Each structure stands twice: as structure tokens, then as C-alpha cells.
Amino acid sequence: MTSKHQLLRQAAEKESLASTFTRYARRLTGALDGVPARPQECEAFWTGPAAERFAERAAVLRRELAELEDSCLATAESLRRRAHRLREDAAAAGDRQGADQWAPDETR
């Protein structure tokens, strides 16, 4: 059986990982700031098929980064829920261990 200490350690590790996912997800948001997203935004300094391909690819990357951000945030939320359940299990384990401490020897 997993001890209260082990459960609390696992919960803390999951919370830490969730914070890391959230921090990195928030950084993704601005990763392409300033990069032209439409061919019209390139026209001042770049025109032609290459500029259009670049703008199209930039738009795809923006969507993919938004999806990655959503996935990271969903994973972080899942980790936090699991950490919460582990803390509940740790509290219950602590209650059981405390009750066992006072039980007569023949019931242990």
C-alpha cells in the first residue's frame, strides 16, 4: 500500500509538472507575434509566390501553436485534478494509519 508521504510527494510532482505545462503554454501564445499572418502584411517588403507561401505557412503554424497551447493547458488541468485526488487519498490513508495505530494487536 502506498504511504501518505508517497501520495503527497506524487501530488506535489504532478502539481509541479502542471505548472511547467502552463508556463510553457503561455509562452506559446506570443511565439509568432510580429510575424506576418496574411500576404497583405508582407507586401510592404516582400511580394510574390514565396511571400504568399510564407504567410500561408505562418497561418498554419499559428493554428498549430494554438492547438498545442490548448493541449498543454488541458494536460495541466488533468494533472491538477489527479494531484487533488492523490491528496484526498493521502488524507484517507492518514486516517486509516491513525486508526490502525490505536487498534488492538490482534486486528492489525
Side-chain angles (χ1 to χ4, degrees):
M1 174 162 211
T2 308
S3 73
K4 179 179 180 176
H5 174 74
Q6 290 168 321
L7 291 169
L8 291 173
R9 182 180 46 77
Q10 290 174 14
E13 289 170 351
K14 291 197 184 332
E15 284 286 349
S16 176
L17 187 55
S19 294
T20 300
F21 267 97
T22 300
R23 187 174 57 254
Y24 286 128
R26 296 297 180 213
R27 288 182 186 168
L28 289 172
T29 303
L32 295 178
D33 285 353
V35 174
R38 299 181 313 232
Q40 303 88 310
E41 294 174 2
C42 297
E43 288 175 356
F45 50 91
W46 190 14
T47 59
E52 291 174 15
R53 284 191 306 272
F54 175 82
E56 289 169 5
R57 182 69 181 137
V60 168
L61 288 173
R62 285 180 197 285
R63 283 192 300 276
E64 289 175 352
L65 283 175
E67 291 171 8
L68 181 57
E69 178 187 10
D70 291 344
S71 293
C72 286
L73 293 174
T75 299
E77 184 56 34
S78 178
L79 285 164
R80 286 189 179 96
R81 283 192 306 271
R82 181 65 182 136
H84 178 75
R85 286 192 301 274
L86 286 166
R87 283 191 294 276
E88 289 175 340
D89 292 348
D95 293 343
R96 284 192 303 274
Q97 288 172 354
D100 288 346
Q101 178 182 1
W102 302 110
D105 286 336
E106 57 272 358
T107 62
R108 282 192 227 166

